């Protein structure tokens, strides 16, 4: 075990006995959802993972310590931290070296999960290529991380505030498998349909676990993205959410929002415009992804690494 990682006792024990563990990110807690729903969501998702027979491992940097697995008190304190850094590959080590507190994005969570030996990670939606990237150059480091770090990321696709077509093109270029879970069309975060064909379709956690073990035996490095759509009852239809996204993008533009602030700003603005509906759906999809991630982790635990 890497000596920079601070494992919680429960995660440490699960890993020692080869039991299923699911990593969870913390940027969604500090920058993706408002208090106190962020804490409720974080607790609920941990409980869901335990119900499926896996151990949750929420990842964050607290006063310079890189934690894999948080106590409930740590989770609550983090959910109330107003000035947490939003950490990616570029600044994860900075937060540790400077003894800061920060939440981990998809990219930073993957790095910590890999170091700890956690193979599966559940989130809402990954970052990707922002609309207008041809001039802003704003492309999330999540995409590069998926190409190099061997963790299975379970998501509802990439967030629909992004240019989804360009995002999935980049993933294809970087050799990241994108698996539509039970569907032929990739989901678009809040809605089921993106108009983009799923490059690979798989229908069971066992199939995904077999796929992963074959990738390892072929020495194919990097992660994979599972895109798990919401059910029809839970989704927000594309036209409805699309209107709120366009309005939020126009506000971000008018206010000169850029860089790391862009995604949190857009999520908060869509929450306001939708009267809270986007947040309820975001929580629904994180729940659904956590359940699936736990099933995949259990399937992997039955197939020890060669
Ligand atoms: N999923 C959600 N809400 C979020 C995120 C994911 O449902 O807020 C976070 C993840 O941490 C992801 C980040 O890595 O948004 C993307 O940020 P950026 O676009 O700045 O790379
Ligand atoms: Mn960015």
């Amino acid at each position: 075990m890497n000596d920079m990682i601070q494992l919680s006792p429960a995660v440490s024990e699960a890993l020692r006995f080869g039991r299923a563990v699911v990593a969870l990110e913390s940027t969604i807690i500090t920058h993706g959802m408002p208090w106190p729903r962020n804490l409720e969501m974080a607790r609920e998702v941990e409980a869901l993972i335990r119900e499926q027979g896996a151990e949750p491992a929420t990842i964050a940097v607290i006063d310079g310590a890189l934690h894999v697995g948080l106590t409930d008190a740590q989770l609550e304190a983090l959910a109330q931290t107003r000035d947490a850094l939003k950490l990616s590959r570029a600044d994860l080590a900075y937060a540790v070296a400077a003894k800061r507190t920060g939440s981990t994005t998809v990219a930073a969570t993957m790095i910590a999960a890999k170091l700890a030996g956690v193979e599966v990670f559940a989130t809402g939606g990954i970052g990707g290529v922002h609309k207008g990237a041809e001039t802003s150059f704003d492309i999330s480091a999540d995409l590069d991380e998926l190409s190099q770090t061997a963790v299975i990321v379970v998501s509802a696709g990439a967030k629909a505030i992004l240019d989804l077509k360009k995002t999935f093109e980049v993933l294809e270029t970087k050799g990241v498998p994108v698996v539509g879970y039970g569907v032929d069309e990739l989901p678009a975060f809040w809605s089921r349909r993106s108009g983009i064909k799923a490059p690979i379709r798989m229908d069971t956690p066992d199939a995904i676990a077999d796929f992963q073990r074959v990738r390892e035996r072929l020495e194919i490095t990097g992660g994979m993205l599972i895109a798990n759509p919401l059910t029809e009852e839970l989704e927000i239809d594309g036209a409805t959410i699309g209107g709120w996204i366009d309005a939020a993008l126009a506000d971000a533009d008018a206010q000169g929002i850029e860089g790391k602030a862009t995604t949190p700003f857009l999520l908060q603005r869509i929450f306001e415009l939708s009267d809270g509906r986007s947040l309820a759906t975001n929580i629904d999809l994180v729940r659904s992804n956590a359940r699936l991630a736990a099933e995949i982790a259990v399937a992997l635990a039955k197939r020890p690494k060669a």
Side-chain angles (χ1 to χ4, degrees), residues 31 86 130 159 161-162 259-268:
H31 294 73
K86 174 183 166 189
H130 280 270
K159 287 189 281 283
I161 53 176
L162 301 165
K260 276 184 189 255
T262 303
T263 296
F265 175 90
L266 292 172
L267 292 176
Q268 172 63 23

Side-chain angles (χ1 to χ4, degrees), residues 89-150:
R89 168 172 280 265
D91 44 13
L92 177 64
Y94 159 73
V96 174
K99 304 215 172 343
R100 301 283 304 267
T101 290
S103 57
T104 51
T105 59
V106 168
T109 305
M110 289 179 76
I111 293 170
K114 181 80 203 336
L115 285 176
V118 179
E119 299 184 275
V120 188
F121 158 29
T123 183
I126 62 162
V129 182
H130 280 270
K131 294 185 186 184
E134 53 277 25
T135 51
S136 70
F137 277 48
D138 190 349
I139 302 177
S140 177
D142 292 354
L143 301 184
D144 253 334
E145 207 57 54
L146 276 160
S147 75
Q148 56 182 311
T149 301

